[in-house]
Amino acid sequence: ANCHGGTEKSRFIETLGAGTAMIGDAANDASPIKAASIGFAMADSDEACKNNSDVQIEICLSIIQNT
């Protein structure tokens, strides 16, 4: 979906009904994350986003250099 604002995202998620998921990292994603059946927030996201999520995702990237 091409939704830009948090309110638009929330309305779109509500129209989908059960079985929706939302992932976000900013304050404008907090409301849509709460509206989804399951909400994911990135570990380094805004506090409002994390507080409204069901799951926080932490991604660790390691660069391994072959010598």
Side-chain angles (χ1 to χ4, degrees), residues 2-44:
N2 188 12
C3 301
H4 302 288
T7 303
E8 282 182 62
K9 290 177 189 175
S10 293
R11 287 187 193 136
F12 178 74
I13 289 170
E14 288 170 3
T15 64
L16 296 176
T20 58
M22 172 69 186
I23 185 167
D25 64 352
N28 67 321
D29 295 325
S31 181
I33 283 175
K34 189 170 184 93
S37 301
I38 186 165
F40 298 91
M42 302 307 292
D44 63 347

